Amino acid sequence: MRRTILILLLILPTNIWAQSPKLDSLKNVLSRQSARSFSIERDSLLTTTMYEICSSISLAEPGLRQTWTDSLSKFAKVSTWQQSIAYSHLAISRNYHFKGFTTLAFKEIEAAAWLFKQFCNEKMYATAFSGLAVIITNFLLVKPLADDATERKYLNYLTDGLALAKKQANPIQIANMNLCLMQYYIKHKNFEEAKKCAINSWKITQTNPEKYFYYYQAGKWAEGLNLLYLGKQKEGIYLINQTKEICQHPRKDGMEKYLLAANGLYLGNYYIEKKAYQNALVEAKIGQQALKSLKLPNFDYILNKIFYQAYKNLGKPMEALMYFEKVQAYDQEEQTKETMSKFLDLQLKYEDEKQKNRIQNLENQQLTQTRNFLLLAGLLGLGIIGYIFWNNQKLKKKNEEIQKALLQGQTMERKRMASELHDNISNKILGVKMRVELLENEHFTEKDRVNYNATLGFIEEVYTDIRLVSHNLLPEELEINGLGTAIENLVKKLNLIGKTHFDFKIQTHQKRFPARLEYEIYSIILELVNNTLKHAHAENAMISIIEDEKVLKISVKDNGKGFDNQAFSFDNLGLKNIRSRIESLRGNIKIESDEGTNVLMSIPI
């Protein structure tokens, strides 16, 4: 099956390949790869080569484009490379778009973008969004504004696409997305934003205006158009005429004609809005002349509307009627295309449903063969589930007992450590302080006296810290009166130190929480308070605990020196411990620095 498809691809008429050296080169790639044995690598190269062929075929050859689109679609169904189907959606979308089936094109390219995202192919994901932007923009040319939700959807697609293009650092895609956004903003009469996008387009391509001819010149021209809308006539006309003058020189790629055609319809519309109907005719005729060698039905439609409105208001009914009939013919054709789009969409769904039914029938046959086995397995499974449920309940009860014992053990150990710090180590440090104070210091030099006083101050600081830690390792009021009372007493002791003034606010529906939750929260706050005292150099700090819909929202905020948000990490041991405690409670933590430090925590209760 696969080899047959490949042979069909390679025996297409010779004149298909006689178009450009690029297509000849792509044919050689297909010939070489088709001779290789089946593999993901081979199928990926065949897919991307066929997609590139589809993308290289000009607007003037719709039949050839259809042939290659169908070939890629058939190959994608048998390819061993999963991404083939995404490339197929992208090629089908492009084909529908050029045929004027906008709705189908939109659906196909949305599918391609979603698949490329799933495959983590960021380059093609950005390419899909770039194509999506062009479809949206051409859709906006001929359709009235949609509902707010749809318009927001369009804008989100365009802004997301611009972000993706910037991530890829692709000047063409960045410029293209800016031009598409510019046209969106013009449609919504937001000319200031439209002007910014136009400037962004030519600025990103100004390093090589010849290489990026269209995006550079279109950006310059569009800046001029938006200046006109913003009332800056002189500056706007200058930029527009500059581009029109450059476009008088023919180019091999024909992009100067595309720009002149766009000038005709956008500037023509501008003059229609300003009721300068003679000027509108002049610009529309420039666009009409440029369109003779291009196949752009949307542009023709808009230019015909401009001619109709201009001639009608200039009192020329015969000419107005001629262009009105062209507009009507286009509208009828669009209705036919819309109907055909719905028919094709239904046909695709029907084929998809048939395939699903075939699969379902096979599955039903298999189901019939295995029904008895599944019944037996189900009964056995119910027995296993019952046993697992009973065992889980038993384990849950055991875990609760272990947790309770662990908490009791931690409580006893903290009490022992607090007693050791208070009764032993703090007394020893107090003894060291007294011995230092007894030193004969009358004959000390000035330097010795400075060191002597600094040493006494340091010993005093250590003594104070140890007493604070010993008092707060497991304060009695935490066990007896709960979290709120324990932190209130902690704040009182902290304020006696005199370094930082602490305030405390608590709003909860419950007076007490589970012992482990209170213990962990108290430990977290104590760790954060110590960090504030040691590192923040803050004058004031605030501790708050608020209960909101079964969630405790805890904040410790100070007005100290803060830190660099970009360089912040949880590598610090104390912060690691805090995050570990928060995660064990199924909560989350966020640390911000803006004129101080703010630690925000949310813990379910």
Side-chain angles (χ1 to χ4, degrees):
M1 174 71 173
R2 291 178 182 170
R3 188 165 296 279
T4 302
I5 290 174
L6 291 176
I7 291 171
L8 287 173
L9 293 176
L10 297 175
I11 62 173
L12 291 169
T14 306
N15 63 352
I16 286 177
W17 299 100
Q19 300 172 61
S20 71
K22 180 178 180 181
L23 287 179
D24 288 337
S25 174
L26 293 172
K27 174 191 174 183
N28 291 333
V29 173
L30 281 181
S31 299
R32 288 195 305 271
Q33 293 303 320
S34 62
R36 294 174 56 189
S37 58
F38 296 120
S39 68
I40 292 176
E41 180 186 4
R42 186 205 70 152
D43 286 2
S44 67
L45 283 170
L46 286 170
T47 298
T48 53
T49 303
M50 282 191 279
Y51 171 73
E52 195 169 351
I53 290 171
C54 292
S55 302
S56 302
I57 297 170
S58 71
L59 290 171
E61 298 174 288
L64 182 60
R65 186 175 61 250
Q66 182 69 57
T67 298
W68 278 102
T69 301
D70 290 344
S71 297
L72 176 55
S73 178
K74 290 175 183 176
F75 177 73
K77 293 175 181 177
V78 297
S79 172
T80 59
W81 189 45
Q82 289 185 330
Q83 293 194 43
S84 296
I85 192 67
Y87 280 88
S88 171
H89 280 301
L90 205 55
I92 293 171
S93 169
R94 188 171 184 269
N95 196 35
Y96 275 143
H97 178 54
F98 288 144
K99 286 184 173 182
F101 297 114
T102 306
T103 303
L104 291 176
F106 197 85
K107 287 182 179 179
E108 290 291 332
I109 206 163
E110 276 189 314
W114 184 86
L115 285 170
F116 282 127
K117 184 177 182 181
Q118 304 309 305
F119 293 129
C120 299
N121 188 338
E122 292 191 358
K123 180 181 177 182
M124 291 307 299
Y125 185 46
T127 300
F129 261 89
S130 185
L132 188 60
V134 173
I135 292 172
I136 290 172
T137 303
N138 286 341
F139 186 75
L140 291 172
L141 283 174
V142 295
K143 299 291 184 181
L145 290 177
D147 57 274
D148 290 343
T150 303
E151 291 297 321
R152 280 197 302 273
K153 179 182 177 182
Y154 291 155
L155 182 58
N156 288 338
Y157 271 136
L158 296 174
T159 52
D160 288 350
L162 178 58
L164 284 168
K166 287 180 177 178
K167 190 175 180 181
Q168 291 293 313
N170 186 320
I172 289 179
Q173 287 185 0
I174 295 171
N176 177 59
M177 295 306 304
N178 271 295
L179 288 176
C180 291
L181 270 167
M182 180 273 297
Q183 292 174 82
Y184 175 90
Y185 285 127
I186 283 182
K187 187 73 178 274
H188 289 76
K189 308 296 183 184
N190 189 345
F191 303 113
E192 196 62 55
E193 284 300 319
K195 186 186 76 168
K196 290 178 185 177
C197 292
I199 293 171
N200 290 338
S201 176
W202 69 256
K203 277 191 173 181
I204 194 69
T205 54
Q206 66 182 338
T207 54
N208 195 336
E210 178 57 28
K211 178 181 178 181
Y212 305 122
F213 174 81
Y214 170 72
Y215 300 100
Y216 179 78
Q217 295 299 338
K220 285 282 189 181
W221 178 90
E223 182 186 358
L225 177 67
N226 284 287
L227 285 171
L228 288 183
Y229 275 113
L230 292 168
K232 298 180 180 180
Q233 303 292 322
K234 185 177 180 181
E235 298 97 317
I237 289 295
Y238 174 78
L239 286 175
I240 289 171
N241 286 341
Q242 221 180 23
T243 302
K244 287 165 70 175
E245 177 64 28
I246 290 169
C247 288
Q248 297 307 311
H249 306 285
R251 293 173 56 85
K252 290 182 180 179
D253 59 11
M255 291 313 296
E256 83 288 354
K257 290 187 176 65
Y258 188 89
L259 277 168
L260 289 173
N263 170 83
L265 63 97
Y266 277 102
L267 198 54
N269 264 330
Y270 168 78
Y271 284 127
I272 289 292
E273 290 178 21
K274 299 299 179 184
K275 298 183 179 180
Y277 301 114
Q278 197 61 49
N279 289 344
L281 282 178
V282 171
E283 300 301 333
K285 286 177 181 178
I286 294 173
Q288 187 182 53
Q289 182 65 29
L291 276 177
K292 286 182 178 180
S293 59
L294 301 175
K295 294 185 178 181
L296 297 169
N298 287 357
F299 280 29
D300 276 325
Y301 172 67
I302 296 168
L303 286 175
N304 287 335
K305 286 182 73 174
I306 293 170
F307 280 123
Y308 162 66
Q309 291 170 343
Y311 281 127
K312 177 184 176 183
N313 285 284
L314 288 171
K316 297 183 177 181
M318 292 299 295
E319 290 89 342
L321 178 61
M322 178 179 69
Y323 284 103
F324 177 75
E325 288 174 348
K326 290 183 179 181
V327 170
Q328 289 293 99
Y330 178 90
D331 286 336
Q332 290 174 6
E333 185 180 351
E334 281 298 293
Q335 289 177 6
T336 302
K337 284 182 179 178
E338 187 64 30
T339 303
M340 182 62 72
S341 291
K342 292 177 180 178
F343 171 74
L344 289 172
D345 196 24
L346 288 171
Q347 189 178 44
L348 289 171
K349 289 178 180 178
Y350 172 70
E351 292 297 328
D352 185 52
E353 195 63 34
K354 279 173 62 179
Q355 180 67 16
K356 287 179 180 177
N357 286 336
R358 282 195 292 268
I359 294 170
Q360 186 65 48
N361 288 335
L362 290 173
E363 289 176 349
N364 287 339
Q365 292 174 16
Q366 184 67 27
L367 183 63
T368 302
Q369 296 171 7
T370 59
R371 183 173 297 159
N372 292 334
F373 171 78
L374 290 176
L375 181 60
L376 180 61
L379 292 172
L380 181 60
L382 286 173
I384 293 171
I385 290 169
Y387 172 76
I388 291 172
F389 178 77
W390 173 81
N391 199 45
N392 281 345
Q393 291 296 107
K394 189 176 178 181
L395 287 173
K396 184 178 178 182
K397 185 176 180 181
K398 190 67 176 176
N399 283 337
E400 288 174 354
E401 291 174 357
I402 292 171
Q403 288 286 346
K404 186 176 180 181
L406 181 61
L407 184 59
Q408 288 174 347
Q410 289 174 334
T411 301
M412 291 174 64
E413 181 62 17
R414 288 169 72 92
K415 285 181 177 179
R416 186 191 66 77
M417 289 177 64
S419 177
E420 183 70 20
L421 284 171
H422 184 271
D423 299 337
N424 190 359
I425 296 176
S426 64
N427 287 337
K428 288 180 179 178
I429 290 178
L430 184 59
V432 172
K433 179 174 178 291
M434 293 173 64
R435 286 178 180 274
V436 172
E437 288 175 340
L438 292 173
L439 290 175
E440 295 180 2
N441 54 51
E442 291 85 357
H443 305 295
F444 281 3
T445 64
E446 184 61 30
K447 182 178 179 181
D448 291 338
R449 189 169 297 283
V450 169
N451 288 333
Y452 172 79
N453 291 332
T455 301
L456 276 176
F458 178 72
I459 293 172
E460 179 65 33
E461 186 176 342
V462 171
Y463 176 72
T464 301
D465 285 350
I466 288 176
R467 282 181 58 82
L468 180 63
V469 171
S470 67
H471 285 152
N472 294 298
L473 268 171
L474 192 67
E476 187 178 357
E477 57 267 21
L478 180 60
E479 293 184 85
I480 299 172
N481 299 316
L483 184 63
T485 302
I487 295 178
E488 283 178 3
N489 290 334
L490 171 63
V491 166
K492 290 176 183 177
K493 293 171 187 175
L494 292 172
N495 289 336
L496 291 175
I497 297 174
K499 281 188 176 181
T500 301
H501 179 78
F502 286 84
D503 289 308
F504 174 55
K505 178 177 73 174
I506 182 167
Q507 295 177 359
T508 60
H509 306 311
Q510 308 174 47
K511 291 185 178 180
R512 296 297 303 266
F513 297 99
R516 177 173 175 262
L517 180 62
E518 291 191 338
Y519 164 76
E520 294 289 2
I521 293 174
Y522 184 85
S523 299
I524 290 166
I525 291 175
L526 188 60
E527 184 78 43
L528 292 171
V529 163
N530 284 335
N531 284 346
T532 300
L533 291 172
K534 289 180 181 179
H535 308 298
H537 303 293
E539 293 182 2
N540 297 295
M542 179 69 185
I543 303 169
S544 69
I545 302 175
I546 298 173
E547 183 181 347
D548 182 19
E549 295 184 356
K550 300 297 182 180
V551 174
L552 279 183
K553 295 183 178 180
I554 304 165
S555 168
V556 178
K557 184 175 182 181
D558 65 62
N559 65 349
K561 64 179 183 179
F563 56 86
D564 182 359
N565 280 301
Q566 298 296 325
F568 171 77
S569 75
F570 278 92
D571 291 341
N572 174 278
L573 181 59
L575 293 178
K576 276 185 178 179
N577 289 337
I578 291 170
R579 184 169 65 174
S580 178
R581 289 179 184 274
I582 291 290
E583 289 175 352
S584 74
L585 298 171
R586 296 178 294 109
N588 57 67
I589 180 170
K590 182 180 180 182
I591 301 180
E592 301 173 339
S593 183
D594 182 15
E595 298 182 359
T597 301
N598 189 13
V599 183
L600 301 163
M601 295 159 283
S602 296
I603 300 172
I605 54 176

